[in-house]
Amino acid sequence: MNYQEIIDSQRDFFNTNATKDVSFRINELKRLKSILKKNEAALYKAIDEDFRKSEFETYVTELSIIYHEIDLALVKVKSWSKKKKASTGLTNLPGKSYIIPEPYGTVLVIGAWNYPYQLSLCPAIAAIAAGCTVILKPSEVPSRTSEIMAQLINQNFDAKFFKVIEGGVQETTDLLAIEFDKIFFTGSIPVGKIIYQAAAKHLTPVTLELGGKSPAIITKDVNIPMTAKRLIWAKFLNAGQTCIAPDYVLVESSIHDQLLSAMKEQIEKSDYNVDNHNYTQIINEKNFDRLQDMIDPNKVFIGGNGNRDQRVIPPTVLKDVEFTDKVMQDEIFGPILPVLTFETIDEAIEKVKKLSKPLSCYVFTKSKSTKNKVLNEISFGGGAINDAMMHFTEQSLPFGGVGNSGIGNYHGKYGFETFSHYKSVLQKPFWIEPNFKYSPYSTKKLNFLKRFIGL
Ligand code: NAD
């Protein structure tokens, strides 16, 4: 079957209304969980082959997040999909108003490579919970994880409901030429713009989960060792290949040296090494070269030289960095942490605001007023106070960007909403119909209406 035929078959299936039945969705989600559970060993093996990601990290940052999403949807999908009562104004009494969540229909999910399982499957789970049929196009960059997802899903699900299509730019371009009811994309800003334009041709709604430079702002009153510990974990997990990793640090100048030594100590303690599986490889040579090129050898505080054959760049901290440096021109998306300084919080905020709205923002401070000032003045997708990245694990929080870092959000109930249209309905009985709105019009009627509506 060509792509058009697959999508047509999904549309036909959607039109049978089978996915409107919540128990159908529950069964399919249970099936997905059981397939993943049964094949965990193969999933661990594939991702290890792609970029030496350990079982520990794969469980913590991929599978556990997927299982959580499924479990929450299993418990909540009935209430999420229920018709919701709304209030009815005097004008329409004795009518009733309500909102019906309805699935968008046939959706396309396009994944990124850095967390290949959860960035592909969590949106798919949300789409299934909402009652959509799904075409999933995982990133082709980690080829083994793309292959295993295609194998497990295509062997266990009917293509007219859930189908993985593997491929890169050409295949995605071909898919984008076809009309979908919703497109969910995770990836870079430039490709996000391509997706948005392609979707516009069909007026297809999109969710774009993009990237950017996420700052960590650190004031002088913090617990320095704890700040360093949390920052270093967040930055070097997955070798920095995380969209919400702190991209750069802005530290109050009076604690700059102390913070750097605490970070060094924490890096040494963490024993980052690909061979002992405490660290991951850079995904490919292209990214290795891109990252290595961002490192100014004169500014290396720790780390620096990578090994191209092994595709490993050690945790690297750069000091005395300026906003004009190469490393500050683009999202880093790798294990390089530039440290910059500030004198006043206003100066720090001003510098962050000169760049595009970030996907995440982290503030380490004991000062309530500083915290409030940052929250009030900087626009960002999501973030944390005195921590980094852990907001992602809270299913009660919507996850997504703003401005250049994205459009829309997901996770938990927000994922369900992302794949649903909220249909509003007013329902009236036949037994009464006031005559005010009908012609013939008169001043008397108008005056009565004005009093009645009260405006
Ligand atoms: P990417 O944009 O290169 O690729 C993403 C997807 O788009 C892949 O499936 C790829 O096959 C497809 N694609 C690539 N070029 C295309 C083209 N010209 N036309 C159509 N499709 C195309 O992104 P990536 O390298 O996989 O991921 C890195 C970026 O993603 C970073 O910017 C990172 O911040 C961002 N990201 C964001 C999130 C988030 O949740 N907001 C999560 C992970 C990564």
Side-chain angles (χ1 to χ4, degrees), residues 57-241:
E57 268 196 37
T58 304
Y59 184 77
V60 171
T61 66
E62 304 251 21
L63 299 186
S64 69
I65 290 171
I66 293 168
Y67 295 151
H68 259 117
E69 281 289 301
I70 296 179
D71 288 351
L72 184 73
L74 289 175
V75 173
K76 297 281 188 184
V77 67
K78 269 197 189 134
S79 71
W80 291 340
S81 36
K82 268 201 185 120
K83 174 171 97 177
K84 283 151 186 76
K85 262 196 197 159
S87 62
T88 305
L90 261 186
T91 323
N92 286 308
L93 285 178
K96 290 196 279 193
S97 302
Y98 45 85
I99 302 161
I100 306 171
E102 68 170 21
Y104 268 125
T106 295
V107 307
L108 172 64
V109 173
I110 303 170
W113 59 260
N114 54 326
Y115 291 90
Y117 296 137
Q118 58 118 331
L119 294 176
S120 295
L121 293 175
C122 287
I125 289 161
I128 293 172
C132 296
T133 68
V134 185
I135 302 281
L136 168 61
K137 208 299 291 174
S139 170
E140 76 286 13
V141 176
S143 58
R144 294 285 297 114
T145 52
S146 170
E147 194 180 312
I148 188 81
M149 279 189 281
Q151 193 185 318
L152 295 181
I153 287 160
N154 294 346
Q155 281 172 5
N156 290 287
F157 286 88
D158 199 328
K160 67 184 189 239
F161 169 61
F162 186 12
K163 167 90 180 162
V164 173
I165 293 177
E166 287 192 90
V169 177
Q170 189 54 55
E171 291 77 3
T172 317
T173 307
D174 293 345
L175 280 169
L176 288 169
I178 302 169
E179 182 168 357
F180 285 90
D181 298 305
K182 166 94 197 187
I183 298 175
F184 187 106
F185 169 81
T186 305
S188 60
I189 296 170
V191 180
K193 290 178 181 172
I194 295 174
I195 306 294
Y196 207 5
Q197 279 171 358
K201 288 201 182 110
H202 301 290
L203 283 183
T204 300
V206 293
T207 297
L208 302 176
E209 296 282 342
L210 310 176
K213 286 185 92 61
S214 299
I217 300 171
I218 296 151
T219 62
K220 64 183 180 200
D221 61 356
V222 296
N223 174 331
I224 295 175
M226 184 60 80
T227 301
K229 189 173 185 172
R230 291 177 181 165
L231 261 182
I232 293 301
W233 174 83
K235 179 68 194 190
F236 297 111
L237 183 81
N238 211 29
Q241 301 166 113

Side-chain angles (χ1 to χ4, degrees), residues 327-361:
V327 73
M328 292 304 292
Q329 303 315 305
D330 240 320
E331 178 182 2
I332 297 170
F333 215 54
I336 306 167
L337 185 58
V339 179
L340 300 90
T341 56
F342 67 87
E343 301 300 331
T344 66
I345 194 66
D346 285 311
E347 179 199 342
I349 291 173
E350 191 192 321
K351 283 178 172 164
V352 170
K353 286 177 79 167
K354 281 206 169 123
L355 306 180
S356 296
K357 293 179 180 179
L359 181 58
S360 302
C361 179

